[in-house]
Amino acid sequence: MGCTIETQGTERILIDYGLAASRPPRYPSPSPHVNNAIITHAHIDHIGMAPWLVGHHNAKLHATPLVADLSGIMWRDTYKVSSIEGYPLTWDKRDIDDALDSWQTHDHGEAFELDGWNCTLHLAGHVPGASMVELRKEDLTILWTGDIDTRNSPNVLGAKPIKCDILVMEATYAARDHNDRLEEEKRLVERVQEIRSRGGTAIIPSFASGRGQDIIKILYENDPSLNVHYDGMGTRISQIWIDNPSYLSDPSAFERAYRWSKRVRGKSDRFKALEADVIVTTSGMLDGGPAIWYLNRLRHDSANAIFLTGYQADRSGGRSLLDTGMLPIFGKMTKIDLEIDRFDLSNHAGKTELIQFALDCKPKHLVLFHTPDEDVDDFARSFGETPPFQIIIPENGRDTVIDTDA
Ligand SMILES: [Zn+2]
Ligand SMILES: [Zn+2]
């Protein structure tokens, strides 16, 4: 993920520069020279290539303070995983240090000048610290959504529409609506209670940045009698959230929930966690992390269960488990005979919310990105025979020219 924007009278600017954390990882095309890049949030598909950018172009990176604080963990983890798995990476440890030094941070709502643009970052929902980017010059306003959710979620408020001429919008969920969030949260708590009452442990593989923290808060607020252990990179990310309270919708409630969970800090904590009602841990797609260690032990008792709470990409461990009931555990395909349930706790806006958001921004041009190829045409058609704006579906790796006089 990444896109440069050029107009008459402004310098070229880059928004996001990430890599797809597939196996092997997929990298974007090399960015042309830029002096500045704005990073919407710290998920690896938006931030993962920023060290390369700083190493090659000496670019400055711009984001909210929370994103800057999270970046080091994300880059070091990517570096570690690629070394362990033997995947080539186009940047190294020195680039991480340079990238950490290159941050210029901006709070939501605070305007700053960059390369001929007047820029403002706005609340994007999705995860705490995530931004939409508003770029303004005399005759043109561009709104770049990054990943958005217009709904409130456990730890962050939803994004609000902003009037613009060009709206560049993600549409991950172009093809469907979500289940009611509160209903899903209630169902999750009930299912966890059911597993506890039959003497089992529910393992909830969760992304380190966003989903894990949401689940900790949901469980704490609905049933504080649960014995919940929290393991993996998400615990370090939670600390950084707590250090940046202004990006959370209710920072003291999150901190209470986090302190209530039993954080796993070492091997002996991990053995204790096997007796928990719930283990919340990485990786969210069962591609490694403590989740594999736990599953290797929990798989022998059918009272236990696996609750998946996020998207499971092709060729991920979670996808293999859903399709074949098998999971690679320490290099060996292993049958997992545990009950599996799935919960829709997505932090992306669903189809209906996306349509409403686009209409409310009243753009002249709508550019769709971060959208599954197979869904994008249908989604474009949902604005009717004569949409109120020009709809543009850019092709990856190609330039897209927008005629703002049209
Ligand atoms: Zn994201
Ligand atoms: Zn994304």
Side-chain angles (χ1 to χ4, degrees), residues 40-46 126-127 146-147 348 370:
T40 60
H41 64 295
H43 282 155
I44 210 66
D45 57 324
H46 297 256
H126 189 53
V127 287
D147 290 353
H348 286 272
H370 211 293

PDB file of all heavy atoms in Angstrom, residues 40-46 126-127 146-147 348 370, ligand 1:
ATOM      1  N   THR A  40      -0.726   6.919   7.586  1.00  0.00           N
ATOM      2  CA  THR A  40      -2.045   6.997   8.227  1.00  0.00           C
ATOM      3  C   THR A  40      -2.096   6.225   9.535  1.00  0.00           C
ATOM      4  O   THR A  40      -2.695   6.676  10.501  1.00  0.00           O
ATOM      5  CB  THR A  40      -3.163   6.476   7.302  1.00  0.00           C
ATOM      6  OG1 THR A  40      -2.895   5.094   6.974  1.00  0.00           O
ATOM      7  CG2 THR A  40      -3.246   7.299   6.016  1.00  0.00           C
ATOM      8  N   HIS A  41      -1.483   5.020   9.561  1.00  0.00           N
ATOM      9  CA  HIS A  41      -1.494   4.262  10.823  1.00  0.00           C
ATOM     10  C   HIS A  41      -0.429   3.181  10.801  1.00  0.00           C
ATOM     11  O   HIS A  41       0.209   2.943   9.776  1.00  0.00           O
ATOM     12  CB  HIS A  41      -2.883   3.704  11.129  1.00  0.00           C
ATOM     13  CG  HIS A  41      -3.407   2.686  10.157  1.00  0.00           C
ATOM     14  ND1 HIS A  41      -3.701   2.978   8.847  1.00  0.00           N
ATOM     15  CD2 HIS A  41      -3.674   1.362  10.308  1.00  0.00           C
ATOM     16  CE1 HIS A  41      -4.152   1.889   8.242  1.00  0.00           C
ATOM     17  NE2 HIS A  41      -4.135   0.896   9.097  1.00  0.00           N
ATOM     18  N   ALA A  42      -0.259   2.522  11.943  1.00  0.00           N
ATOM     19  CA  ALA A  42       0.921   1.671  12.141  1.00  0.00           C
ATOM     20  C   ALA A  42       0.703   0.207  11.760  1.00  0.00           C
ATOM     21  O   ALA A  42       1.481  -0.648  12.169  1.00  0.00           O
ATOM     22  CB  ALA A  42       1.399   1.786  13.582  1.00  0.00           C
ATOM     23  N   HIS A  43      -0.362  -0.110  10.988  1.00  0.00           N
ATOM     24  CA  HIS A  43      -0.457  -1.485  10.483  1.00  0.00           C
ATOM     25  C   HIS A  43       0.600  -1.687   9.401  1.00  0.00           C
ATOM     26  O   HIS A  43       0.900  -0.771   8.627  1.00  0.00           O
ATOM     27  CB  HIS A  43      -1.862  -1.771   9.934  1.00  0.00           C
ATOM     28  CG  HIS A  43      -2.854  -2.037  11.025  1.00  0.00           C
ATOM     29  ND1 HIS A  43      -4.199  -1.820  10.874  1.00  0.00           N
ATOM     30  CD2 HIS A  43      -2.686  -2.493  12.290  1.00  0.00           C
ATOM     31  CE1 HIS A  43      -4.817  -2.147  11.998  1.00  0.00           C
ATOM     32  NE2 HIS A  43      -3.920  -2.552  12.867  1.00  0.00           N
ATOM     33  N   ILE A  44       1.114  -2.921   9.324  1.00  0.00           N
ATOM     34  CA  ILE A  44       2.311  -3.140   8.520  1.00  0.00           C
ATOM     35  C   ILE A  44       2.053  -2.917   7.026  1.00  0.00           C
ATOM     36  O   ILE A  44       2.961  -2.524   6.291  1.00  0.00           O
ATOM     37  CB  ILE A  44       2.898  -4.558   8.817  1.00  0.00           C
ATOM     38  CG1 ILE A  44       4.409  -4.551   8.635  1.00  0.00           C
ATOM     39  CG2 ILE A  44       2.241  -5.656   8.026  1.00  0.00           C
ATOM     40  CD1 ILE A  44       5.146  -3.687   9.634  1.00  0.00           C
ATOM     41  N   ASP A  45       0.795  -3.103   6.579  1.00  0.00           N
ATOM     42  CA  ASP A  45       0.512  -2.851   5.162  1.00  0.00           C
ATOM     43  C   ASP A  45       0.488  -1.359   4.834  1.00  0.00           C
ATOM     44  O   ASP A  45       0.386  -0.987   3.655  1.00  0.00           O
ATOM     45  CB  ASP A  45      -0.790  -3.543   4.701  1.00  0.00           C
ATOM     46  CG  ASP A  45      -2.010  -3.144   5.508  1.00  0.00           C
ATOM     47  OD1 ASP A  45      -1.880  -2.936   6.728  1.00  0.00           O
ATOM     48  OD2 ASP A  45      -3.104  -3.049   4.926  1.00  0.00           O
ATOM     49  N   HIS A  46       0.631  -0.508   5.832  1.00  0.00           N
ATOM     50  CA  HIS A  46       0.680   0.939   5.592  1.00  0.00           C
ATOM     51  C   HIS A  46       2.012   1.563   5.996  1.00  0.00           C
ATOM     52  O   HIS A  46       2.335   2.660   5.558  1.00  0.00           O
ATOM     53  CB  HIS A  46      -0.465   1.639   6.338  1.00  0.00           C
ATOM     54  CG  HIS A  46      -1.821   1.203   5.860  1.00  0.00           C
ATOM     55  ND1 HIS A  46      -2.612   1.975   5.051  1.00  0.00           N
ATOM     56  CD2 HIS A  46      -2.500   0.040   6.049  1.00  0.00           C
ATOM     57  CE1 HIS A  46      -3.724   1.309   4.762  1.00  0.00           C
ATOM     58  NE2 HIS A  46      -3.686   0.133   5.361  1.00  0.00           N
ATOM     59  N   HIS A 126     -11.059   2.945  13.084  1.00  0.00           N
ATOM     60  CA  HIS A 126     -10.153   1.830  12.742  1.00  0.00           C
ATOM     61  C   HIS A 126      -9.308   1.383  13.937  1.00  0.00           C
ATOM     62  O   HIS A 126      -9.595   0.349  14.529  1.00  0.00           O
ATOM     63  CB  HIS A 126      -9.285   2.209  11.540  1.00  0.00           C
ATOM     64  CG  HIS A 126      -8.486   1.074  10.988  1.00  0.00           C
ATOM     65  ND1 HIS A 126      -9.060  -0.130  10.637  1.00  0.00           N
ATOM     66  CD2 HIS A 126      -7.156   0.950  10.717  1.00  0.00           C
ATOM     67  CE1 HIS A 126      -8.118  -0.948  10.178  1.00  0.00           C
ATOM     68  NE2 HIS A 126      -6.961  -0.320  10.226  1.00  0.00           N
ATOM     69  N   VAL A 127      -8.244   2.098  14.260  1.00  0.00           N
ATOM     70  CA  VAL A 127      -7.454   1.833  15.472  1.00  0.00           C
ATOM     71  C   VAL A 127      -7.031   3.188  16.053  1.00  0.00           C
ATOM     72  O   VAL A 127      -6.958   4.174  15.325  1.00  0.00           O
ATOM     73  CB  VAL A 127      -6.186   0.983  15.193  1.00  0.00           C
ATOM     74  CG1 VAL A 127      -6.529  -0.461  14.897  1.00  0.00           C
ATOM     75  CG2 VAL A 127      -5.349   1.588  14.071  1.00  0.00           C
ATOM     76  N   GLY A 146      -7.157   6.462   4.367  1.00  0.00           N
ATOM     77  CA  GLY A 146      -6.462   5.368   5.053  1.00  0.00           C
ATOM     78  C   GLY A 146      -7.477   4.267   5.308  1.00  0.00           C
ATOM     79  O   GLY A 146      -8.451   4.126   4.566  1.00  0.00           O
ATOM     80  N   ASP A 147      -7.300   3.472   6.347  1.00  0.00           N
ATOM     81  CA  ASP A 147      -8.323   2.498   6.741  1.00  0.00           C
ATOM     82  C   ASP A 147      -9.303   3.211   7.662  1.00  0.00           C
ATOM     83  O   ASP A 147      -8.882   3.876   8.608  1.00  0.00           O
ATOM     84  CB  ASP A 147      -7.693   1.316   7.479  1.00  0.00           C
ATOM     85  CG  ASP A 147      -6.847   0.438   6.552  1.00  0.00           C
ATOM     86  OD1 ASP A 147      -6.859   0.678   5.334  1.00  0.00           O
ATOM     87  OD2 ASP A 147      -6.196  -0.490   7.060  1.00  0.00           O
ATOM     88  N   HIS A 348     -13.124  -2.122  10.145  1.00  0.00           N
ATOM     89  CA  HIS A 348     -13.289  -1.416   8.872  1.00  0.00           C
ATOM     90  C   HIS A 348     -14.784  -1.135   8.695  1.00  0.00           C
ATOM     91  O   HIS A 348     -15.621  -1.968   9.039  1.00  0.00           O
ATOM     92  CB  HIS A 348     -12.848  -2.288   7.690  1.00  0.00           C
ATOM     93  CG  HIS A 348     -11.362  -2.434   7.575  1.00  0.00           C
ATOM     94  ND1 HIS A 348     -10.585  -1.545   6.872  1.00  0.00           N
ATOM     95  CD2 HIS A 348     -10.512  -3.370   8.051  1.00  0.00           C
ATOM     96  CE1 HIS A 348      -9.309  -1.930   6.918  1.00  0.00           C
ATOM     97  NE2 HIS A 348      -9.239  -3.049   7.630  1.00  0.00           N
ATOM     98  N   HIS A 370      -7.655  -0.256  -1.785  1.00  0.00           N
ATOM     99  CA  HIS A 370      -7.751  -1.184  -0.640  1.00  0.00           C
ATOM    100  C   HIS A 370      -9.065  -1.964  -0.758  1.00  0.00           C
ATOM    101  O   HIS A 370      -9.758  -2.216   0.223  1.00  0.00           O
ATOM    102  CB  HIS A 370      -7.735  -0.372   0.667  1.00  0.00           C
ATOM    103  CG  HIS A 370      -7.107  -1.052   1.861  1.00  0.00           C
ATOM    104  ND1 HIS A 370      -7.645  -2.148   2.473  1.00  0.00           N
ATOM    105  CD2 HIS A 370      -5.986  -0.781   2.567  1.00  0.00           C
ATOM    106  CE1 HIS A 370      -6.887  -2.493   3.515  1.00  0.00           C
ATOM    107  NE2 HIS A 370      -5.863  -1.674   3.583  1.00  0.00           N
TER     108      HIS A 370
HETATM  109 ZN    ZN B   1      -5.221  -0.981   9.132  1.00  0.00          ZN
END
